[in-house]
């Protein structure tokens, strides 16, 4: 009993010090999230500097249908989980604790409705707010072109 007392006192001291020093769980998570966002913004800037319109010039398709068909496969693998099956922005995945969701692609005044080139550029570079930059993440330029055809000529015309 007499020997246990100093040990218990020491243990209580350690618990007290460990508990009061250093960032707590929530602060550490917030710092990690900030670092992740900053790193993502850096690579969006790099993707923007790498983007080249001319690189898309060599892409040709046997028929409009072959572009749409390839684009549909790309959509299902890489986009659907955030953007939703029909592109309404209702996929399951969300960004930053559900504060950032993808917009719907289906509205009449959608910004890329008549802008194939702008759409490919946006898919290539991503955004600083949670849209991956596909120019880095393993989508070939041909697949970016294909998915842009699919969104504009299939999803939006249903
Ligand atoms: C991890 C989730 C996620 C995936 C996967 C994803 N996106 Fe996004 N996307 C987003 C978010 C979130 C936004 C909104 C970003 C913002 O507000 O800056 C967005 C925005 C966009 C926009 C801009 C829309 C507009 O009206 O401004 C386009 C175009 C787009 N995504 C296309 C795609 C395509 C094509 C794919 C597949 C190759 C894809 N996205 C995959 C999350 C995702």
């Amino acid at each position: 009993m007499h020997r246990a007392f100093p040990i218990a006192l020491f243990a209580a001291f350690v618990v007290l010090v460990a508990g009061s020093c250093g960032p707590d769980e929530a602060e550490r998570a917030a710092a990690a999230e900030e670092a992740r966002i900053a790193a993502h913004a850096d690579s969006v800037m790099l993707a923007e500097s790498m983007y080249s319109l001319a690189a898309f010039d060599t892409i040709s398709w046997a028929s409009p249908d072959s572009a749409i068909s390839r684009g549909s496969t790309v959509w299902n693998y890489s986009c659907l989980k955030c953007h939703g099956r029909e592109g309404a922005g209702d996929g399951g995945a969300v960004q930053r604790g559900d504060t950032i969701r993808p917009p719907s692609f289906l509205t009449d005044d959608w910004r890329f409705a008549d802008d194939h080139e702008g759409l490919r550029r946006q898919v290539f570079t991503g955004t600083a707010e949670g849209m991956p930059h596909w120019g880095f993440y393993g989508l070939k330029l041909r697949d970016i072109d294909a998915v842009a055809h699919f969104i504009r000529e299939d999803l939006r015309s249903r």
Side-chain angles (χ1 to χ4, degrees):
M1 182 70 190
H2 282 206
R3 245 187 254 148
F5 183 68
I7 294 172
L9 202 68
F10 179 67
F13 176 73
V14 168
V15 167
L16 207 72
V17 169
S20 62
C21 286
D24 67 16
E25 201 58 26
E27 281 168 347
R28 236 177 283 138
E33 176 68 353
E34 280 312 309
R36 192 192 63 74
I37 290 165
H40 185 76
D42 283 350
S43 30
V44 168
M45 268 167 56
L46 186 60
E48 270 162 9
S49 73
M50 285 172 53
Y51 177 80
S52 152
L53 173 57
F56 282 96
D57 283 351
T58 54
I59 297 169
S60 67
W61 297 97
S63 70
D65 277 353
S66 63
I68 290 172
S69 157
R70 176 65 194 160
S72 152
T73 304
V74 174
W75 178 262
N76 289 340
Y77 275 101
S78 304
C79 320
L80 180 154
K81 70 170 174 163
C82 291
H83 287 275
R85 179 163 297 282
E86 305 294 327
D90 55 353
V94 295
Q95 300 286 326
R96 285 212 221 175
D98 208 4
T99 54
I100 301 176
R101 279 183 168 266
S104 171
F105 295 161
L106 307 179
T107 51
D108 287 343
D109 59 350
W110 187 47
R111 56 198 284 232
F112 298 118
D114 297 312
D115 185 6
H116 190 72
E117 155 56 14
L119 177 53
R120 289 189 309 199
R121 185 188 190 103
Q122 181 77 81
V123 176
F124 183 95
T125 57
T127 77
E129 297 288 354
M131 164 66 180
H133 28 265
W134 294 97
F136 286 163
Y137 287 152
L139 272 193
K140 297 187 174 72
L141 296 186
R142 191 174 179 74
D143 287 337
I144 292 177
D145 188 51
V147 82
H149 278 293
F150 172 75
I151 291 171
R152 296 186 50 250
E153 293 152 33
D154 187 318
L155 273 189
R156 280 183 56 82
S157 62
R158 286 180 189 176

